[in-house]
Amino acid sequence: MNTEELRRVVLDQLQVTRQSFDTTSEPAGGELDLTSLDLVRLLVSLEEQLDIEIDEVAIMNARLDTVDDVVSLVQRSFVLTSSGGPE
Amino acid sequence: VTGVPTAWYNAVPELGVDLPADLPAPGRPARMKLQVPPALVRQEQSRQRLLPIPDDVLARYHQWRPTPMRRAHAWEAELGTGCRLYYKYEGGNLSGSHKLNTAVAQAYYYRRAGADRLTVGTGAGQWGTAVAAACAMFGLDCTVYMVRSSYVAKPYRRSIMELLGASVVASPSERTGIGRRASEAGERDGSLALAMAEALADAQRPGSFFCTGSGETYTLLHQTVIGQEAAEQLAGFGETPDVVLACLGAGSNFGGLALPFLGGADVPHRRVRCVAVEPSSCPKLTRGRYAYDFTDTSASTPLQKMYTLGHRFAPPVLHAAGLRYHGASKLISALYHDGRIEAVDYPQRTVFASAVAFARAEGILPAPESAHAIHGAVEEARRADEAGQSRAILIGVSGHGYFDMAAYQSFHDGSMVDLEASGEEIAASLAGLPEQPAELQPTGPRS
């Protein structure tokens, strides 16, 4: 799974359309309107969907200012826990 | 003696509860510091009926669990009731209450997620003491914001927290912006919602996290060791309770005892009536509104759908400080809204009268919070006797009252007064609820 595919998975989880959404957007603002707990829920859902485990310390210390930050965090975990990680 | 449960009971999927989603706070900052370890969120999202308790947590539980279940023979005789009264006593640990059940679990998960310090708000001091104890167990620093009225009335609560290594701050304090603003506005006694807001404000640096003792669904999950043990212990008496009573602050004590009895279709305890007992001065279920509201006074937290008196509601200072919270947890609120649990409220003098009678008969001094459940049982037994029925009544005695002697002295010398929340106070507070989603207009109190 490459970065673009991973981005699409995240957007699917967020139930937003690419056409109306900028991945540099802030998760807490605009179309997404997530709470901090929602962000953790999103990451847990991504873990289940992608069959990966994201490091708890990395999550708690992450700066998730944009959706691309979320993609990047998941991507790093993918590389660590899966041989089929994004390119 | 029964065993200690090796798993927490996950009631949400079994009860088929559809919890309304949280909503972001209006005007919140775009940059958010995550406060809840993923492990706790995984528990909330799990569809498994039983979630294994980690070995390190279970080893700690074995230090004081299983907790006693006793039939109150002497108290029954004193009341002259034909009912069988059983109580489950959670006061026999260092914190003196049920709160240690989730404090230990949360400290474990926060430590594993890289925390080096936890901050909490506490009302009566039970949650603060529990987290201080749990932090000592798992090598975490701890800062406790304690409601000032309790801080003054219960100096030994502060002492035990400090002995455990915690830093204890009276709220409102000068350490946070919201504390300073509250003080400038003339707030002196404080409230649990304000203490929580200060604790959250103090958890913004790396490694520091705010944790909550009640309200969130995972805190209720951790408390289900109480109800699971109780069901097994009552089975040992050959009993299934007709009624389960527990006091309600936000819901962890009540949920911990009641949820395993509410159960699902395959659980034989499902016909048990579960009754939450509130103080008349803070009657969130009986007189509150089912609406989206903030979880503390900062008006910056995510909105949760709950029975609430309004986040600005300032309950009068009552001796059951652990019940001075404006809202009930999402899960308990949803169950109440669906008519699956009941609620009653009582003024504090009748509650203390029942607590003293219980103490004299049974040799245990209950916490003022627990005394609400005890008085609820007196009323249940009286009604059953009048109806010519003999019921098995299970009471959650969530903690001891040895740090609450000022309250008992106040009752004893006659200076205690009943403080009932007025309709005007509640209406004024509810007028300050945040704007509700269009499709989710608030629902009034159940009739």
Side-chain angles (χ1 to χ4, degrees):
Chain A
M1 184 179 292
N2 62 35
T3 302
E4 187 56 34
E5 289 168 334
L6 185 55
R7 201 174 271 143
R8 197 169 303 132
V9 168
V10 172
L11 292 171
D12 284 346
Q13 278 285 348
L14 291 168
Q15 296 180 318
V16 295
T17 61
R18 285 300 307 272
Q19 288 77 15
S20 60
F21 186 72
D22 178 355
T23 54
T24 61
S25 295
E26 296 161 341
E31 183 179 346
L32 289 176
D33 240 10
L34 299 183
T35 68
S36 65
L37 199 53
D38 285 336
L39 269 175
V40 184
R41 290 183 181 123
L42 167 67
L43 292 167
V44 169
S45 297
L46 288 168
E47 281 184 330
E48 287 177 7
Q49 182 177 352
L50 300 171
D51 195 23
I52 59 169
E53 190 160 332
I54 307 174
D55 180 63
E56 301 241 338
V57 178
I59 291 176
M60 296 298 275
N61 292 315
R63 285 184 54 147
L64 302 175
D65 297 341
T66 69
V67 171
D68 272 348
D69 291 338
V70 176
V71 172
S72 177
L73 175 65
V74 175
Q75 196 169 30
R76 285 199 299 276
S77 302
F78 223 132
V79 170
L80 289 173
T81 58
S82 166
S83 57
E87 296 162 1
Chain B
V1 176
T2 64
V4 179
T6 56
W8 291 302
Y9 170 63
N10 185 18
V12 174
E14 193 152 89
L15 292 174
V17 183
D18 191 14
L19 292 177
D22 297 351
L23 300 176
R28 71 220 166 275
R31 181 171 297 169
M32 296 179 292
K33 180 173 182 294
L34 304 186
Q35 293 287 348
V36 181
L40 296 176
V41 174
R42 288 187 198 103
Q43 292 177 347
E44 282 204 352
Q45 295 189 183
S46 173
R47 305 302 293 173
Q48 291 179 43
R49 181 175 185 271
L50 295 172
L51 301 176
I53 300 171
D55 288 345
D56 287 349
V57 176
L58 196 56
R60 293 295 180 173
Y61 281 178
H62 275 279
Q63 292 177 327
W64 75 94
R65 306 203 70 85
T67 59
M69 163 74 75
R70 297 196 180 100
R71 182 169 173 183
H73 288 288
W75 190 41
E76 287 174 16
E78 182 72 22
L79 293 171
T81 180
C83 293
R84 285 105 58 213
L85 305 179
Y86 296 89
Y87 63 94
K88 176 79 168 158
Y89 182 55
E90 289 290 315
N93 64 69
L94 183 61
S95 76
S97 81
H98 68 292
K99 295 284 189 180
L100 196 54
N101 295 323
T102 187
V104 166
Q106 290 193 50
Y108 167 81
Y109 286 117
Y110 273 98
R111 180 69 176 165
R112 217 180 62 167
D116 57 37
R117 173 176 174 260
L118 297 183
T119 71
V120 299
T122 192
Q126 294 169 338
W127 176 234
T129 310
V131 176
C135 283
M137 292 174 186
F138 290 99
L140 295 162
D141 291 335
C142 178
T143 302
V144 179
Y145 286 83
M146 186 173 186
V147 174
R148 185 176 293 277
S149 56
S150 290
Y151 182 92
V152 171
K154 301 182 184 186
Y156 299 125
R157 272 284 174 199
R158 174 187 173 189
S159 298
I160 191 170
M161 286 187 270
E162 290 179 343
L163 283 173
L164 290 164
S167 168
V168 185
V169 182
S171 171
S173 79
E174 295 298 310
R175 290 178 56 156
T176 69
I178 189 166
R180 288 190 292 275
R181 287 192 293 278
S183 296
E184 288 164 10
E187 176 61 63
R188 294 185 185 281
D189 293 325
S191 68
L192 180 54
L194 177 58
M196 289 168 66
E198 289 207 78
L200 180 58
D202 190 18
Q204 298 307 311
R205 74 166 171 78
S208 284
F209 297 97
F210 166 77
C211 69
T212 180
S214 199
E216 295 299 337
T217 304
Y218 54 79
T219 65
L220 276 67
L221 173 82
H222 301 152
Q223 297 293 356
T224 58
V225 290
I226 304 172
Q228 291 182 79
E229 281 181 11
E232 187 177 343
Q233 289 167 318
L234 278 176
F237 284 104
E239 292 273 25
T240 297
D242 297 299
V243 188
V244 174
L245 295 116
C247 64
L248 184 97
S252 74
N253 167 60
F254 175 79
L257 183 63
L259 288 173
F261 287 100
L262 286 170
D266 60 335
V267 178
H269 315 294
R270 67 184 185 282
R271 291 183 182 172
V272 176
R273 286 176 52 221
C274 294
V275 183
V277 188
E278 306 181 307
S280 297
S281 54
C282 195
K284 62 215 81 174
L285 288 182
T286 53
R287 295 175 66 193
R289 183 179 292 173
Y290 193 42
Y292 274 97
D293 199 4
F294 300 104
T295 57
D296 68 30
T297 56
S298 70
S300 62
T301 68
L303 302 173
Q304 294 189 348
K305 193 159 192 193
M306 60 171 88
Y307 273 89
T308 179
L309 295 164
H311 63 282
R312 294 176 185 161
F313 183 74
V317 174
L318 76 154
H319 293 291
L323 309 184
R324 284 184 73 223
Y325 184 63
H326 66 280
S329 77
K330 288 183 292 186
L331 178 53
I332 299 303
S333 293
L335 290 170
Y336 185 66
H337 194 66
D338 288 347
R340 299 168 80 166
I341 61 172
E342 303 168 32
V344 292
D345 64 86
Y346 298 112
Q348 64 180 351
R349 283 192 297 183
T350 55
V351 164
F352 271 79
S354 293
V356 170
F358 177 86
R360 288 176 178 170
E362 294 300 321
I364 286 177
L365 186 72
E369 292 81 3
S370 315
H372 286 73
I374 288 169
H375 182 67
V378 171
E379 293 296 317
E380 278 288 335
R382 182 183 56 76
R383 283 193 292 274
D385 291 336
E386 287 172 357
Q389 298 172 345
S390 175
R391 293 180 190 150
I393 299 175
L394 172 61
I395 307 152
V397 179
S398 54
H400 69 62
Y402 297 113
F403 290 120
D404 300 281
M405 291 318 300
Y408 277 100
Q409 184 61 42
S410 166
F411 173 75
H412 185 64
D413 65 22
S415 61
M416 180 181 285
V417 294
D418 286 333
L419 299 164
E420 187 164 338
S422 73
E424 292 77 16
E425 288 170 327
I426 293 173
S429 177
L430 290 174
L433 284 175
E435 186 177 348
Q436 301 293 304
E439 69 278 20
L440 294 166
Q441 288 301 316
T443 307
R446 289 182 341 132
S447 56

